[in-house]
Amino acid sequence: MRTPLVLVLLASSRAFAQVPLPDPPFLPQNASAGASPSSAAIPNSQWSSLLGNLLYFYEAQRSGKLPSTNRVKWRNDSALTDGQDVKLDLTGGLYDAGDYIKCTFPLSFTVMSICWGATDFGKGYDLANQTPYLDDMLRWSLDWLIKAHPANNTLFVQVANEEVDNAYWGGDRNIPLPRPSYQINDTSPGTDAAAGTAAAFAACSNLYANRIFSNSYSGPATLQNATYAATLLEHAKQLFIFATSASGGQAVYQHSVPEVGKAYASSGYGDELAIAALFLSWATNSSSLYQQAQGYWQQYSLSTYDGVFNWDNKTPGLPVLFAQIAQANPTFGGNASTWQTVAEKYFDGIVYGGGPGYQTHGGLLYYKGDSDDASLNPSLNAAMLLTRYVPLASTQSRRNDYWNYANAQVNYALGNNPMQAPYIVGANPNSPQNPHSAMASGGNNISDINTSPPQEAYVLYGGVIGGPDKYDRFFDIRADWPETEVALDYNAPMLTLAAMHVLNDTADPFYTSLKAGAYDSKKPQGMPCDDAYTDGCSGPQLSQGRKIVLGVIPGLTGLSIFSLLVWWAMISLRRAHDPLY
């Protein structure tokens, strides 16, 4: 007797059932609440609220048909025809940043990072009562990635045209069409995108299967589901085979799909192959995959890279993950101490100097080039990796120094900076008021983004913005996307860091000490100098007093130099006329 289809569907629904959402739901508080200290306790209510707000941001970025549990009441159903051009349902997922494109490469990095963090510091989500929303956010993202992987050797890497999307500034009801779907496949490969998505599926499978690395960490958030973990793992395996065995060979994905290079061009694929193999080795208990990952490390000379950890380059995270797995299962053949040495060479370059990054006058870790657009992202990703590595550090001094350095970067982002601005929307009265977000702005005049409307229509709670410039200046200008745009990957490291603080910190986030008006008293004059504006490229704007001081010093110096030159000329003339002089 065959089981009726309805019963199969019900059983499947129960097997995939997510953690029930709270009733009443968590909703962000007014920004004024972020200026009120809490009682010293674990879990700290301010850190818990921050964690909730960071997750809430992802709900505001949703595309497709919104569920009845939608908490962001100003959002609407949108982009309901995505995938029709390829006769597939590609609705859902998340809009990438302040616009309306959907991009697989940065999304897969985002969920990989969040799942890795929720595996190590997951009990922070539990203590903050945010695990249901973590589960909800991950499934909304992962379920779309599953849609984007309709066949073993096919992965859709972008929906919507970048140029068409950039020409539109308005709400989610009138998103311009057409929205083409771009794919990689067996003959037109994208090794980086396929491997990066495999890594995301494998990392999240580990989370849902409760595969912990070490008792040094709190352990995974309580959202285990063996059936969902198995589904994610199957997609991870298929995509990894696609990445390594496509008949079209191996290539960066923009080689096959030039359109994706306009927003998220990839610099290589060795790091994605290595991190996918590593997460899969842990998911499948495979020493051979671990050895394969070590092979990629050598083959692609990944040890020579000392730059940032981000959606494009996962290399700095690899030694940490190698060490975690080697310590957790020595039978894999990895040498934990070897990977400690590699990791600490990189982290020492950050903390003690010698690497390509430097600290701004205000204390922000800054990389020329990578930090010029979205300065907080390299800093927070470094802080996240440092915090994760602390239990593995070889000496107590490193444990202390790494922790203190990471904490200083977090505090900078949360308001301990020259602008006295916490760079998370809605966290405090001094938070950014003008995030670069077409949907939140409420405007529709692309030629007048800054003042139409004068005040942002909706508060994009929990959005981590790009951040200040290399002089620690933040102008809070809506059209200045390098400083004010939000993005999926910007929030990812702060989620892990906030979960860790919920676990361990009785002290409030720094911004609770900032009263209304603090940023207004520090806001710089003039205009920025970046990829959005060149008005301020004559240099940082100085107060009149500092201008006078800096003007006097060169004047006195110039006078001194002139006097010395005259003296030397006189001596030279006397020597020329008097050989005995």
Side-chain angles (χ1 to χ4, degrees):
M1 176 180 168
R2 291 196 298 179
T3 305
L5 180 59
V6 67
L7 294 180
V8 172
L9 292 174
L10 285 172
S12 175
S13 175
R14 282 194 296 270
F16 282 81
Q18 68 183 66
V19 179
L21 294 170
D23 187 15
F26 168 86
L27 293 172
Q29 295 180 288
N30 185 279
S32 61
S36 301
S38 70
S39 59
I42 291 182
N44 178 283
S45 61
Q46 286 284 4
W47 281 108
S48 297
S49 293
L50 175 59
L51 186 63
N53 287 6
L54 292 164
L55 284 169
Y56 183 90
F57 163 76
Y58 288 103
E59 200 161 315
Q61 295 295 112
R62 284 180 172 180
S63 177
K65 178 72 175 174
L66 301 182
S68 60
T69 54
N70 170 49
R71 295 177 291 164
V72 189
K73 299 307 179 185
W74 50 269
R75 284 300 322 283
N76 303 284
D77 298 343
S78 60
L80 298 179
T81 62
D82 282 359
Q84 284 188 1
D85 59 323
V86 290
K87 297 180 172 56
L88 290 171
D89 175 13
L90 294 178
T91 62
L94 299 170
Y95 296 122
D96 168 68
D99 48 19
Y100 295 103
I101 61 172
K102 298 191 296 194
C103 303
T104 299
F105 197 42
L107 173 62
S108 61
F109 168 77
T110 297
V111 294
M112 180 200 77
S113 177
I114 294 171
C115 284
W116 189 11
T119 301
D120 288 339
F121 303 108
K123 297 309 177 189
Y125 290 94
D126 290 354
L127 283 173
N129 295 320
Q130 290 297 324
T131 297
Y133 295 112
L134 170 68
D135 186 30
D136 197 35
M137 174 268 162
L138 289 174
R139 287 171 183 263
W140 191 271
S141 307
L142 292 163
D143 287 352
W144 186 80
L145 288 174
I146 289 171
K147 286 184 178 183
H149 181 222
N152 287 3
N153 293 341
T154 300
L155 179 68
F156 284 87
V157 291
Q158 185 170 308
V159 176
N161 179 279
E162 173 79 2
E163 292 177 357
V164 172
D165 192 72
N166 282 343
Y168 172 72
W169 184 264
D172 55 15
R173 293 182 185 272
N174 299 299
I175 300 172
L177 298 174
R179 289 173 57 82
S181 308
Y182 301 91
Q183 66 171 278
I184 55 173
N185 52 46
D186 188 50
T187 55
S188 298
T191 310
D192 40 13
T197 309
F201 278 130
C204 294
S205 176
N206 288 334
L207 171 63
Y208 278 95
N210 203 38
R211 301 185 189 104
I212 63 174
F213 289 113
S214 167
N215 291 330
S216 299
Y217 304 96
S218 79
T222 309
L223 42 62
Q224 282 66 53
N225 187 303
T227 306
Y228 196 52
T231 297
L232 299 177
L233 183 55
E234 186 60 29
H235 281 276
K237 291 176 180 177
Q238 292 171 0
L239 282 163
F240 188 66
I241 292 171
F242 171 32
T244 55
S245 307
S247 64
Q250 294 185 326
V252 291
Y253 76 140
Q254 68 263 24
H255 178 78
S256 298
V257 188
E259 172 64 25
V260 301
K262 297 173 184 176
Y264 289 101
S266 171
S267 61
Y269 50 78
D271 53 322
E272 282 84 20
L273 288 171
I275 205 161
L278 271 179
F279 277 120
L280 273 166
S281 75
W282 190 242
T284 60
N285 195 32
S286 169
S287 59
S288 63
L289 278 169
Y290 187 91
Q291 296 300 321
Q292 193 171 339
Q294 292 192 133
Y296 291 135
W297 178 268
Q298 297 295 331
Q299 179 182 348
Y300 295 102
S301 301
L302 298 180
S303 63
T304 62
Y305 180 80
D306 60 357
V308 303
F309 178 73
N310 62 13
W311 59 267
D312 178 40
N313 205 309
K314 291 83 176 174
T315 299
L318 287 169
V320 181
L321 188 56
F322 271 120
Q324 281 184 307
I325 296 175
Q327 185 185 73
N329 192 339
T331 64
F332 276 17
N335 188 317
S337 63
T338 296
W339 289 111
Q340 278 180 313
T341 300
V342 176
E344 289 175 8
K345 179 183 177 183
Y346 174 77
F347 290 136
D348 285 357
I350 292 174
V351 175
Y352 304 127
Y358 68 92
Q359 281 190 273
T360 65
H361 179 74
L364 176 68
L365 174 63
Y366 201 95
Y367 291 81
K368 184 178 180 180
D370 283 297
S371 297
D372 294 341
D373 297 337
S375 62
L376 290 174
N377 192 241
S379 161
L380 291 175
N381 273 318
M384 179 268 294
L385 289 178
L386 281 163
T387 301
R388 170 176 284 114
Y389 184 76
V390 163
L392 304 173
S394 62
T395 65
Q396 186 60 48
S397 63
R398 279 194 172 92
R399 283 191 283 274
N400 294 337
D401 293 344
Y402 289 3
W403 166 260
N404 290 335
Y405 191 95
N407 208 36
Q409 296 304 302
V410 173
N411 284 337
Y412 183 103
L414 297 184
N416 190 12
N417 56 63
M419 296 288 99
Q420 294 190 12
Y423 294 120
I424 301 178
V425 180
N428 175 275
N430 299 285
S431 291
Q433 302 298 305
N434 295 289
H436 182 91
S437 167
M439 66 179 86
S441 75
N444 55 21
N445 184 354
I446 197 167
S447 63
D448 189 17
I449 291 175
N450 290 333
T451 60
S452 179
Q455 181 177 341
E456 200 106 350
Y458 308 106
V459 180
L460 195 57
Y461 285 105
V464 177
I465 54 115
D469 67 11
K470 61 185 176 183
Y471 302 111
D472 301 293
R473 301 176 305 169
F474 177 68
F475 292 87
D476 200 13
I477 298 172
R478 199 177 300 159
D480 187 26
W481 58 265
E483 291 197 2
T484 59
E485 189 162 21
V486 294
L488 303 180
D489 61 306
Y490 295 178
N491 270 49
M494 187 57 88
L495 264 177
T496 295
L497 290 161
M500 181 275 298
H501 278 278
V502 170
L503 278 167
N504 301 307
D505 210 340
T506 58
D508 289 334
F510 183 86
Y511 56 71
T512 61
S513 65
L514 299 175
K515 301 306 178 186
Y519 168 69
D520 289 338
S521 69
K522 302 290 184 179
K523 187 175 181 178
Q525 298 178 348
M527 295 294 288
C529 173
D530 53 34
D531 285 343
Y533 285 97
T534 58
D535 307 50
C537 290
S538 58
Q541 312 299 311
L542 302 175
S543 68
Q544 189 62 30
R546 292 182 68 190
K547 287 178 181 177
I548 292 171
V549 170
L550 291 179
V552 168
I553 292 172
L556 292 174
T557 304
L559 182 61
S560 300
I561 292 172
F562 178 76
S563 300
L564 287 170
L565 287 172
V566 171
W567 174 81
W568 179 252
M570 291 175 66
I571 294 296
S572 299
L573 284 170
R574 291 192 65 178
R575 283 178 173 170
H577 290 90
D578 186 355
L580 298 177
Y581 184 77

